[in-house]
Structures are given as C-alpha cells and as structure tokens.
Amino acid sequence: MRSNRTGRVCPLGVIAVITPWNYPFLLPMGELVMGVLAGNSIVFKPSEVTPLIGLRIQELFEEAGFPKGLISTVVGDGAIGAAIIDQRPAKIFFTGSVSTGKKIMRQAADHLIPVNLELVGKDAMIVLSDPAGKAQVAVVPAYEGRVMTSTAAGPGGDSYGWINRTLIASGRTRPHITAYGGEDRIWF
C-alpha cells in the first residue's frame, strides 16, 4: 500500500506472489489475504511441484465470495515466474531459495519493481561462554527439536524451524553438539 498526498492509503494494483513447494497452502495465504485486504489484485504462482494446491487456493477465495479473477493463479516453472515479472506488477512477494531470489531481484530491478524476499531460513543457534555448564540444557533439546521439525516436513523435508548452523564462543567444548549437528553444521 502507498499513501497519496491527502494521507489516504491506496492499493498498489496488481501484485505478484511467488511461493515454494514446502507448506504450499500455509505460506501463500498470508501474502494473498493481506494483498486482497489491502485492495490489490494478485497474480499467484505456486511452485510447479504443487500447482493443484495453488489452483485450489484460488477456488477457495472464489467460493468465499471474492470476485473471480481477483486472484489469478498461473502454474509453471521459473520461466512463467520471469514472464509474470516482465508484465511489471506493482510489487513482488517471493518466498524460496536464495538463487531464485537473486534472479527475481535482478529482473525486478530492471523495471524498478519493489520486492519482498523471504529467502531460505538459515536459523543459527548461538552458544556463549557458560561457566555454569548449563548450555547443554538448551543445546540438546534445540537439536532434538530440529530433528522433530525436519521429520514433520516429511522424509528429507525442509522446515523453517530448524537449526542450520551453530555459532560457538571460543573455548567451548562441543561433543554434545557434534552428536546432533555434525561437524558440517558447526561454525566457530
């Protein structure tokens, strides 16, 4: 939304919402609902891996009484996403990988289109010096939670709630962390 000279908030117009394969119903809903409530129409591109869920979301909006065409779902791969951006929407909302986010940002910059990017969550755990030895009380459950969240996303699934790296203050021992995150997950 933008404000005009009288201080009124005005819709942007047509916005683009491009979302990933994981959480194909949950992730786009926030952007779609907020966009519609702000008075915008939306071109929605779900992941090419989950197109039927994207089409069903559009149907749900129509069944709820929103005008047909307020949300237009376009299915396809990255070339379709690029074609949407070439149509110069008023704003782009993208959730997904860093590499695709960079491509979208470059293409949007050519047209001076504002972009909101939510790029792959890389959650860090920070373990500070702990003279009382209580860090393990937090570290072990945190890594066990990571295992539970990744399992909840399905075999080999992805979740935004897991720890991708651990930052450890110098001088800390690490055997309890290595058992959960592995050396590849620990940064010193």
Side-chain angles (χ1 to χ4, degrees), residues 71-72 85 90 151 175 184:
I71 296 176
S72 298
I85 296 168
T151 303
D184 62 325

Side-chain angles (χ1 to χ4, degrees), residues 76-135:
D77 61 9
I80 297 297
I84 291 169
I85 296 168
D86 281 339
Q87 297 303 308
R88 300 183 182 187
K91 190 162 189 170
I92 301 165
F93 292 87
F94 171 75
T95 303
S97 71
V98 172
S99 62
T100 302
K102 286 179 179 180
K103 290 176 188 174
I104 288 172
M105 182 64 91
R106 276 192 293 274
Q107 187 179 359
D110 288 341
H111 303 301
L112 296 176
I113 301 169
V115 178
N116 278 26
L117 301 174
E118 181 183 331
L119 305 178
V120 179
K122 293 295 179 196
D123 304 322
M125 171 187 266
I126 301 171
V127 180
L128 301 173
S129 296
D130 181 21
K134 295 182 182 175

Side-chain angles (χ1 to χ4, degrees), residues 14-37:
V14 177
I15 62 173
V17 174
I18 303 171
T19 59
W21 60 269
N22 58 343
Y23 302 104
F25 186 82
L26 177 67
L27 285 178
M29 287 305 282
E31 292 156 347
L32 295 172
V33 168
M34 288 184 285
V36 166
L37 291 177

